Amino acid sequence: LTDKPLREVLAKPDTSGRLVKWSVELGEYNVRYKARPVIKSQVLADFVGDNTPTESMEDDSFENEKGVWKLSVDGSSYVSGSGAGLVLTSSDGWTLEYALRFGFKTINNEAKWEALIAGLTIEKHLEV
């Protein structure tokens, strides 16, 4: 699966040089080109649906009781894997630090989004 127009590039009749060589080499294999499905919007919709506050969570006294927490996230991707760092800081000065290693390949932007989702999930479980 790819979002690159490989089929169009390799099938052009006016292709020259290395592309012709690659087209011939790949021609002997049964290569199928499929567009990568766009799932970002559905994932975001699912996340918002799963984490929308209920009526009991909207109580103002709950926020005053727990205080305000700050979430800082950063994610990165590299050859051998991807990961993220999270820092939760309370208004009282408490700091919780998390280091995550993802078991799947990502690009830097995806790693940052995964870090944000992980941080929000941790906040939800801590009820902050």
Side-chain angles (χ1 to χ4, degrees):
L1 297 175
T2 181
D3 57 350
K4 307 293 185 247
L6 294 176
R7 180 185 312 153
E8 290 80 13
V9 171
L10 293 175
K12 280 185 182 177
D14 60 338
T15 306
S16 62
R18 279 193 223 169
L19 287 178
V20 170
K21 181 181 176 185
W22 277 108
S23 181
V24 170
E25 292 289 328
L26 291 173
E28 67 184 74
Y29 300 102
N30 187 18
V31 177
R32 292 182 293 142
Y33 300 97
K34 289 185 179 180
R36 178 180 295 165
V38 177
I39 61 168
K40 290 181 182 179
S41 59
Q42 185 59 49
V43 169
L44 182 59
D46 291 344
F47 180 77
V48 169
D50 292 343
N51 295 295
T52 300
T54 60
E55 291 177 19
S56 64
M57 292 174 68
E58 293 174 354
D59 189 14
D60 289 337
S61 64
F62 181 77
E63 182 178 313
N64 293 335
E65 182 182 317
K66 295 290 186 179
V68 178
W69 288 69
K70 178 182 175 186
L71 172 65
S72 302
V73 299
D74 193 19
S76 65
S77 175
Y78 41 94
V79 176
S80 60
S82 57
L86 309 167
V87 178
L88 276 167
T89 308
S90 75
S91 56
D92 300 342
W94 286 90
T95 301
L96 302 172
E97 298 176 357
Y98 294 89
L100 306 173
R101 184 175 201 107
F102 301 133
F104 50 90
K105 243 179 149 32
T106 64
I107 59 173
N108 280 335
N109 287 341
E110 292 169 339
K112 288 178 183 179
W113 282 107
E114 290 291 338
L116 177 62
I117 290 170
L120 292 174
T121 303
I122 290 169
E123 284 184 334
K124 183 178 177 184
H125 287 292
L126 293 175
E127 298 179 355
V128 297

